[in-house]
């Protein structure tokens, strides 16, 4: 396969986007300065169904508790500590996946998929995207990161580029998560806090979700077809960030060895356990990380690797995504500073005030904008729901919206902005695994983000008009 790595021309990209660590550090410093300027305020918390939520009628100002500059950086350590479970899960899943990749199992699985689909690359990509979309609608998010090396290998084998491979796994995951009808982390939590029946208004939600999926699939597959027809339009080039190029003809002819067949079964079993563990045994990130660590070690033994090679592969894999994984804890430090400075509630309170001044027909769009802004500071679906829904739900009553519409605005604002904000650690990890610069990714995904926001905004206006319920 011909390498067509596109090198940017001097001055062709305009303003240079800073490194993602620099962006997050700027946000951290801004949050720290805000603790000296913004009045400290808090809502009282009450326990509802075993969960601490805000009492929206109790906001009051308190004595200022500014966070000193030294503690801004202490908050980075606090953020890393609080995020260690998810960071470890990502490191170990990537490390274990590289063991399977090094054994040749993943490449031959890709060849088998291509052979079964008789070389119809769009069918292969569409089938994989559907799988990721369904899982994303249920709440899977970071769990698809280990698939990125495989989808990149598939994309390159089909004559497409690295961005296509990244998009196959990442974009349907993010888009489906954004308005997943049965997303356990956002819709279930938000509806529960708002007092709505969990998973209510399902028909309307599924309809909007399907439209979003059509737009998403069209965007990704259209780009894949354009790149295959004209490699010069690629934004990333065709150099595999983790392994050598794949000869698609030879790949389809190769047969798996006995070891590789066993490894394929082990890999599928690991993926299956990853899917059912959270549902059957209430697994969290720590348990999933441990699962992949065990799977990777055993896979290395089955592949015939000695301990030095197993450790070397895993160490190199972890080092390759270090920048992105650290961003998860780094980004969390922003909300840690705001919380320690007792201004997080003040920010939420201030953002909610303008909604009371908007016509009811535009209030839903106002909520969407506010939730999008808040997600920059709290890039956690369930966390943002716990902070904002106790405010937004009763606020919806005041401005003439249904609480179901408020939940919809929250979910769209939280989910869609995950695709473009650098404080979303998982986003940085996805593009870090593919070694795609944030600036290139941002420019590529921005049109899709805009289209999905339009779909979401139209959905909100319809929900406002029909008074989407039950209340």
């Amino acid at each position: 396969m011909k390498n067509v790595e596109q090198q940017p021309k001097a001055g062709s990209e305009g303003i240079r986007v800073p490194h993602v660590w620099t962006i997050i550090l700027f946000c951290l410093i801004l949050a720290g300065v805000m603790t000296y300027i913004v009045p400290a305020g808090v809502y009282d918390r009450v326990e509802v169904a075993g969960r601490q939520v805000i009492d929206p009628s109790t906001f009051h100002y308190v004595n200022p508790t500014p966070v000193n500059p030294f503690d801004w950086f202490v908050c980075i350590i606090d953020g890393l500590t609080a995020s260690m479970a998810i960071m470890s899960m990502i490191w170990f899943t990537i490390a274990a996946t590289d063991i399977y990749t090094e054994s040749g199992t993943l490449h031959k699985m890709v060849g088998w998929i291509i052979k079964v689909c008789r070389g119809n690359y769009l069918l292969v990509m569409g089938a994989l995207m559907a799988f990721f979309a369904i899982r994303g609608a249920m709440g899977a998010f970071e769990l698809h990161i280990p698939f990125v090396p495989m989808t990149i290998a598939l994309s390159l084998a089909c004559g497409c580029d690295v961005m296509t491979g990244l998009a196959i796994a990442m974009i349907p995951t993010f888009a489906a998560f954004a308005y997943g009808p049965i997303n356990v982390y956002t819709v279930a939590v938000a509806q529960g806090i708002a007092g709505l029946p969990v998973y209510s208004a399902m028909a309307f939600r599924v309809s909007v979700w399907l439209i979003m999926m059509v737009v998403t699939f069209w965007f990704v597959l259209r780009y894949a077809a354009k790149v295959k027809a004209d490699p010069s339009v690629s934004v990333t080039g065709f150099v595999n960030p983790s392994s050598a190029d794949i000869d698609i003809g030879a790949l389809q002819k190769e047969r798996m060895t006995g070891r590789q067949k066993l490894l394929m079964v082990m890999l599928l079993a690991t993926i299956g356990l990853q899917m059912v563990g959270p549902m059957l045994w209430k697994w969290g990130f720590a348990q999933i990380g441990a699962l992949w660590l065990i799977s990777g070690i055993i896979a290395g033994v089955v592949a015939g690797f000695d301990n030095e090679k197993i450790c070397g592969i895993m160490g190199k894999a972890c080092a390759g995504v270090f920048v992105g994984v650290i961003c998860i804890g780094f980004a969390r430090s922003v909300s840690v500073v705001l919380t320690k400075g007792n201004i997080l509630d003040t920010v939420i309170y201030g953002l909610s005030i303008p909604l009371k001044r908007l016509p009811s027909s535009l209030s839903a769009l106002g909520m969407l904008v506010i939730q999008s802004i808040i997600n920059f500071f709290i890039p956690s679906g369930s966390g943002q729901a716990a902070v904002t829904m106790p405010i937004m739900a009763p606020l919806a009553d005041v401005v003439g919206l249904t609480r179901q519409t408020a939940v919809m605005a929250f979910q769209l604002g939280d989910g869609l902005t995950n695709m473009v904000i650098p404080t979303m650690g998982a986003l940085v990890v996805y593009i870090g695994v593919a070694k795609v610069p944030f600036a290139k990714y941002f420019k590529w995904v921005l049109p899709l983000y805009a289209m999905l926001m339009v779909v979401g905004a139209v959905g909100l206006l319809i929900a406002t008009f029909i008074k989407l319920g039950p209340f």
Side-chain angles (χ1 to χ4, degrees), residues 5 62 95-96 290 407:
E5 181 70 12
V62 297
V407 169

Side-chain angles (χ1 to χ4, degrees), residues 23-203:
I23 296 173
I24 297 175
L25 180 61
F26 173 79
C27 295
L28 175 69
I29 294 173
L30 177 61
V33 172
M34 286 172 61
T35 65
Y36 285 88
I37 300 173
V38 177
V42 296
Y43 287 95
D44 293 338
R45 263 67 175 177
V46 295
E47 186 169 323
V48 177
R51 185 186 302 112
Q52 291 291 319
V53 299
I54 288 173
D55 181 345
S57 64
T58 61
F59 179 80
H60 57 281
Y61 293 103
V62 297
N63 292 328
T65 57
V67 181
N68 67 67
F70 178 78
D71 284 341
W72 299 349
F73 295 87
V74 173
C75 288
I76 294 176
I77 311 303
D78 293 338
L80 291 168
T81 302
S83 305
M84 188 52 65
I86 183 173
M87 291 163 60
S88 298
M89 183 211 73
I90 293 170
W91 267 319
F92 291 140
T93 50
I94 293 297
T97 302
D98 268 27
I99 295 288
Y100 286 101
T101 301
E102 191 72 18
S103 72
T105 304
L106 287 182
H107 290 169
K108 290 185 180 179
M109 285 179 64
V110 169
W112 178 79
I113 293 172
I114 296 172
K115 185 177 180 180
V116 169
C117 293
R118 297 182 179 179
N120 188 328
Y121 72 100
L122 290 178
L123 179 61
V124 176
M125 293 177 182
L128 288 173
M129 289 177 65
F131 168 75
F132 294 129
I134 293 171
R135 293 256 294 144
M138 298 170 62
F141 202 66
E142 297 91 348
L143 302 182
H144 291 164
I145 292 172
F147 290 94
V148 172
M150 183 170 65
T151 55
I152 289 177
L154 170 66
S155 174
L156 296 176
C158 292
C160 299
D161 64 350
V162 172
M163 181 63 82
T164 302
L166 170 64
I168 291 170
M170 176 184 170
I171 299 304
T173 299
F174 275 55
F177 182 96
Y179 197 58
I182 53 175
N183 190 326
V184 295
Y185 298 109
T186 55
V187 62
V189 174
Q191 287 182 331
I193 294 174
L196 292 161
V198 176
Y199 298 139
S200 52
M202 182 61 71

Side-chain angles (χ1 to χ4, degrees), residues 68-421:
N68 67 67
F70 178 78
D71 284 341
W72 299 349
F73 295 87
V74 173
C75 288
I76 294 176
I77 311 303
D78 293 338
L80 291 168
T81 302
S83 305
M84 188 52 65
I86 183 173
M87 291 163 60
S88 298
M89 183 211 73
I90 293 170
W91 267 319
F92 291 140
T93 50
I94 293 297
T97 302
D98 268 27
I99 295 288
Y100 286 101
T101 301
E102 191 72 18
S103 72
T105 304
L106 287 182
H107 290 169
K108 290 185 180 179
M109 285 179 64
V110 169
W112 178 79
I113 293 172
I114 296 172
K115 185 177 180 180
V116 169
C117 293
R118 297 182 179 179
N120 188 328
Y121 72 100
L122 290 178
L123 179 61
V124 176
M125 293 177 182
L128 288 173
M129 289 177 65
F131 168 75
F132 294 129
I134 293 171
R135 293 256 294 144
M138 298 170 62
F141 202 66
E142 297 91 348
L143 302 182
H144 291 164
I145 292 172
F147 290 94
V148 172
M150 183 170 65
T151 55
I152 289 177
L154 170 66
S155 174
L156 296 176
C158 292
C160 299
D161 64 350
V162 172
M163 181 63 82
T164 302
L166 170 64
I168 291 170
M170 176 184 170
I171 299 304
T173 299
F174 275 55
F177 182 96
Y179 197 58
I182 53 175
N183 190 326
V184 295
Y185 298 109
T186 55
V187 62
V189 174
Q191 287 182 331
I193 294 174
L196 292 161
V198 176
Y199 298 139
S200 52
M202 182 61 71
F204 183 85
R205 301 176 60 77
V206 169
S207 299
V208 175
W209 182 80
L210 287 174
I211 294 172
M212 287 187 165
M213 291 305 96
V214 169
V215 173
T216 301
F217 278 49
W218 170 82
F219 184 85
V220 174
L221 296 178
R222 176 173 173 267
Y223 174 78
K226 288 173 64 177
V227 169
K228 187 173 177 65
D230 181 6
S232 66
V233 303
S234 168
V235 299
T236 57
F238 300 79
V239 177
N240 195 318
S242 60
S243 61
D245 291 329
I246 298 173
D247 185 329
I248 185 171
L251 190 63
Q252 293 182 79
K253 295 176 182 178
E254 291 180 1
R255 293 181 177 272
M256 284 190 177
T257 65
R259 287 177 185 261
Q260 290 171 336
K261 289 178 181 178
L262 178 56
L263 286 168
M264 182 180 70
V265 173
M266 288 174 53
L267 177 60
L268 294 175
T270 303
I271 295 172
L273 286 172
Q274 174 186 309
M275 294 172 62
V276 303
M279 294 184 289
L280 298 182
W281 307 302
K282 308 299 181 185
W283 281 3
F285 294 124
Q287 288 76 17
I288 294 172
L291 168 69
W292 279 99
L293 177 59
I294 294 169
S295 178
I297 293 172
I298 297 175
V301 174
V302 172
F305 302 155
D306 60 25
N307 68 301
E308 290 292 334
K309 186 166 185 178
I310 293 173
C311 294
I313 294 171
M314 287 190 164
K316 184 178 180 180
C318 291
V321 294
F322 176 81
V323 171
V325 173
I326 289 297
C327 279
I328 294 176
F330 202 180
R332 188 163 182 170
S333 65
V334 177
S335 61
V336 172
V337 169
L338 295 176
T339 301
K340 285 190 173 183
N342 280 318
I343 66 168
L344 183 58
D345 286 2
T346 305
V347 172
I348 302 299
Y349 174 73
L351 289 172
S352 68
I353 292 175
L355 291 181
K356 298 178 181 179
R357 303 173 182 172
L358 289 174
S360 59
S361 59
L362 298 179
S363 295
L365 298 182
M367 283 187 173
L368 173 61
V369 172
I370 288 175
Q371 294 286 8
S372 298
I373 295 172
I374 292 172
N375 195 49
F376 190 86
F377 297 99
I378 314 175
S380 163
S382 56
Q384 188 176 338
V387 170
T388 63
M389 285 316 301
I391 302 168
M392 294 301 179
L395 183 59
D397 300 336
V398 175
V399 299
L401 296 174
T402 65
R403 293 194 170 196
Q404 193 74 260
T405 305
V407 169
M408 182 177 179
F410 149 72
Q411 195 180 6
L412 290 169
D414 164 76
L416 292 179
T417 50
N418 287 336
M419 302 174 69
V420 294
I421 58 173

